[in-house]
Amino acid sequence: MHTQLSIPLLIGLLLVLGLIAALMVARIGLPRIVGYLFIGVAFSPQLLGERIGFEMAGWSEILTSVALGIIAYIIGGSMTLTQLRRMGRVIFGCALGESLGAVIAVMAGVAFIAPLFGYGDSMTLALAMGAIAATTAPAATVAVIHQFRAHGEVCDTLLGVVAIDDAIGIIAFSVILALLMGEGLGAEMGGIAYEILGAIFLGAVVSVLLSFYGRHVHQGSLRLPMIIGSILLALGLATAIGVSTILTGMALGFFSRMFMRSAADRMFAPIEYFEELVFAIFFTLAGAHFNLQVFTSNIPLVAIYFIFRALGKVAGAYIGATAVQAPRTTRNWLGFALMPHAGVAVGLALTITQVPQLAAIKVVVMNTIIASTILFALLGPFAVKFSLHHAGELGEERKS
Amino acid sequence: MKMMTVAQWLEVHPGYSVSVRVNDTVAQVLRQVNNHSEVQDFYVCDGQGQVVGHISKTRLANVVLAPYRVHHSHRQLMERVAFGSADEFMVRDFPTAHPEEELDTVIHRMLEHRLQDMAVVDRHRHLLGTISLTILLQHLPESDLLY
């Protein structure tokens, strides 16, 4: 029997069942994203999707775009210029090194190794996969540091690096996506500059409105509608004038924080509660893209992405740390702690599935990222522990 | 309590307010907090003695005790790594009361903003005292009770 379920019912089912599954897997020590993905996969076309008329076209794009806009706003608003200046060159050098290292390594791996496994148009695939590789999931890193009462130079640098590398990852993604959507590097430099600088300008303009409101409205109940309204306004305008939506969201967060100066709690704390909802949306939707045939036929690509991202993180962190003359332990061990890879990466991969110019590779990219994310989510915490153990910074493990 | 101005209330219940300086480090603010353990809200003053910000004890605890938190938002993580002086973690735009205002109006504002204490400032934003919800409750006449 083929029944067409309504969109609110589909979204409700995905979220409610996803959250229940996430809580269940968390009880047996697995990351919550596994639960979200599991439910998403259950709704994929080859399983329940076809039978219950699960159709993502028409609504998943807007949902993903808004969800990613919220995350970009949160990330942009997480930092101030003063904080960035205070973090110092070691954290910056390491963050730039490991982020760009992962991007370049994955691009190189996919461009040169993937063709050996029969992948055509490997340059587009390489750029798309590389664009996603930079971000690191801070949650797993912080959890391990907390669990083992870790402290020391590597630990301090690691926290700083994971605090800013999602921002670097989003900027790298926006630039590469602009390139992928254009006609070629030489011809499209003007277009790329317009997409990036236009997004920053647009985010700054909307942030003037939002920060004015934030300064003058003290009622908590009125803040959240204005924040969400401003994010939607910025995203809508970005789409209308053809600039990067995700970078617009990030610029909106950054400049709102800057113009409001230190009233950050007021304009960011309410929306930070949405983070889990956003990740639940990302992972369940990502899971719904699951295709067994694509999945099994792309195991080599999953391996390439996994290995080269890991190599890029380790080598990039080493090069970045060496360039800024970081201590030897930081140079040697920081990169291993940067393996976790989850929420933002999946959001970026979902964005790629919505780009018409990348329609030919979207299923491959999504399934590769799903598989890699699971691997990094399961192995990432061990890598963080390995790194901090060798750096001599692990303390006594907490009992619970 | 009805038909009373803030200035009249402060004459009888001057409140207890503690201020810190805008350039004080987190450690210096913490020292002040520990010296006045009964106070929940701290006011940040600039070089001219004008109130420019507000720090609640909860806010300070969130900064100082961040290493004990298992989950961080990006903003909390950044704050943990690069926390600075009082002016970076205070709130600049916060509701205050003025001496000539009716107390009724100020109570409404305190409830609206869920404040434990509200700073009373003059027109130059110098701190005159605080109105505390706890003291208001202690001195609420039975005739003012609605039920």
Side-chain angles (χ1 to χ4, degrees):
Chain A
M1 193 179 77
H2 184 97
T3 325
Q4 186 71 44
L5 300 184
S6 69
I7 293 170
L9 182 57
L10 287 175
I11 298 174
L13 276 173
L14 273 182
L15 290 179
V16 171
L17 295 176
L19 283 165
I20 292 170
L23 291 173
M24 285 169 67
V25 299
R27 287 186 79 110
I28 54 169
L30 289 172
R32 286 196 298 274
I33 62 164
V34 175
Y36 296 138
L37 280 171
F38 177 78
I39 293 301
V41 169
F43 280 83
S44 63
Q46 291 179 319
L47 295 169
L48 284 175
E50 190 75 31
R51 292 178 198 176
I52 63 170
F54 183 85
E55 179 54 66
M56 287 194 287
W59 57 270
S60 68
E61 188 175 330
I62 181 77
L63 197 61
T64 307
S65 174
V66 173
L68 203 56
I70 290 173
I71 284 293
Y73 171 81
I74 291 172
I75 292 172
S78 68
M79 56 193 76
T80 65
L81 281 175
T82 317
Q83 285 175 328
L84 289 173
R85 272 197 294 269
R86 196 178 307 116
M87 289 181 99
R89 62 188 172 84
V90 169
I91 289 176
F92 265 109
C94 294
L96 270 177
E98 59 88 13
S99 300
L100 299 181
V103 171
I104 293 166
V106 169
M107 278 183 189
V110 177
F112 298 114
I113 311 289
L116 304 178
F117 294 91
Y119 290 93
D121 189 17
S122 61
M123 193 44 78
T124 305
L125 190 61
L127 285 167
M129 306 279 301
I132 302 168
T135 61
T136 308
T141 309
V142 174
V144 173
I145 289 172
H146 180 266
Q147 175 73 18
F148 291 94
R149 294 183 168 92
H151 62 92
E153 267 170 13
V154 177
C155 197
D156 291 345
T157 308
L158 174 62
L159 286 170
V161 169
V162 296
I164 59 173
D165 89 339
D166 276 352
I168 298 172
I170 286 175
I171 294 168
F173 176 82
S174 303
V175 173
I176 296 170
L177 191 65
L179 179 63
L180 282 168
M181 289 165 72
E183 298 295 323
L185 187 59
E188 289 297 323
M189 281 310 284
I192 295 169
Y194 169 76
E195 271 212 40
I196 304 305
L197 298 177
I200 294 169
F201 180 73
L202 178 61
V205 169
V206 180
S207 75
V208 173
L209 176 75
L210 180 59
S211 55
F212 178 82
Y213 184 88
R215 274 200 304 274
H216 292 91
V217 176
H218 294 147
Q219 286 99 320
S221 58
L222 295 178
R223 281 181 219 133
L224 191 57
M226 188 60 182
I227 296 168
I228 293 179
S230 299
I231 293 172
L232 293 175
L233 178 69
L235 297 181
L237 287 172
T239 309
I241 64 170
V243 299
S244 164
T245 51
I246 184 167
L247 209 55
T248 302
M250 205 166 89
L252 174 65
F254 182 80
F255 287 110
S256 298
R257 175 96 186 258
M258 192 170 94
F259 293 143
M260 279 189 296
R261 303 183 69 189
S262 51
D265 258 354
R266 186 176 297 162
M267 297 308 273
F268 291 94
I271 200 137
E272 281 166 3
Y273 285 112
F274 279 60
E275 207 168 271
E276 188 68 24
L277 171 68
V278 167
F279 289 149
I281 291 170
F282 282 168
F283 287 108
T284 49
L285 286 182
H289 280 86
F290 177 79
N291 181 312
L292 186 63
Q293 201 182 352
V294 176
F295 195 78
T296 49
S297 59
N298 285 289
I299 288 171
L301 192 61
V302 174
I304 291 169
Y305 184 82
F306 183 85
I307 292 166
F308 280 87
R309 180 178 176 271
L311 285 175
K313 287 276 173 190
V314 173
Y318 183 88
I319 293 166
T322 306
V324 293
Q325 295 167 323
R328 202 161 66 100
T329 45
T330 304
R331 290 202 303 262
N332 290 345
W333 301 112
L334 179 71
F336 292 96
L338 295 163
M339 296 302 134
H341 191 43
V344 179
V346 170
L348 299 181
L350 283 168
T351 304
I352 283 189
T353 66
Q354 294 161 3
V355 178
Q357 291 93 324
L358 303 177
I361 57 166
K362 69 176 188 182
V363 184
V364 172
V365 170
M366 197 67 248
N367 280 273
T368 307
I369 296 299
I370 293 173
S372 313
T373 302
I374 294 173
L375 283 176
F376 280 119
L378 295 176
L379 301 176
F382 294 104
V384 178
K385 190 180 164 190
F386 169 84
S387 155
L388 295 177
H389 169 73
H390 284 278
E393 296 187 2
L394 284 186
E396 195 183 332
E397 186 176 358
R398 287 180 202 274
K399 292 279 185 282
S400 60
Chain B
M1 199 181 287
K2 282 176 181 167
M3 302 301 289
M4 190 183 244
T5 64
V6 169
Q8 289 167 330
W9 173 264
L10 279 187
E11 269 179 36
V12 190
H13 311 286
Y16 187 55
S17 52
V18 182
S19 60
V20 295
R21 286 164 303 184
V22 75
N23 292 325
D24 278 355
T25 61
V26 173
Q28 287 169 317
V29 176
L30 183 62
R31 207 170 302 133
Q32 278 282 54
V33 169
N34 289 336
N35 289 340
H36 304 90
S37 56
E38 71 287 0
V39 179
Q40 298 298 317
D41 295 272
F42 297 82
Y43 299 99
V44 185
C45 295
D46 64 11
Q48 282 76 48
Q50 291 180 320
V51 180
V52 291
H54 166 255
I55 299 171
S56 68
K57 195 181 269 185
T58 314
R59 174 84 178 107
L60 180 70
N62 270 293
V63 174
V64 176
L65 302 176
Y68 297 89
R69 191 198 291 274
V70 187
H71 304 290
H72 290 65
S73 67
H74 277 83
R75 189 168 54 88
Q76 289 164 338
L77 190 56
M78 195 73 178
E79 228 168 46
R80 174 174 171 180
V81 177
F83 67 73
S85 53
D87 69 327
E88 280 183 49
F89 62 97
M90 69 186 186
V91 173
R92 282 180 191 271
D93 308 293
F94 58 100
T96 54
H98 296 279
E100 66 280 5
E101 281 188 282
E102 296 262 344
L103 190 59
D104 293 24
T105 316
V106 173
I107 294 173
H108 168 74
R109 198 179 305 145
M110 289 179 78
L111 296 174
E112 203 50 22
H113 297 293
R114 300 176 187 181
L115 296 177
Q116 286 285 321
D117 300 297
M118 184 178 268
V120 181
V121 295
D122 64 16
R123 60 195 175 90
H124 301 295
R125 288 195 71 81
H126 289 128
L127 190 61
L128 302 175
T130 54
I131 297 180
S132 156
L133 215 53
T134 312
I135 297 174
L136 278 170
L137 288 173
Q138 281 170 356
H139 295 86
L140 184 72
E142 282 205 9
S143 57
D144 277 12
L145 291 176
L146 293 172
Y147 303 105

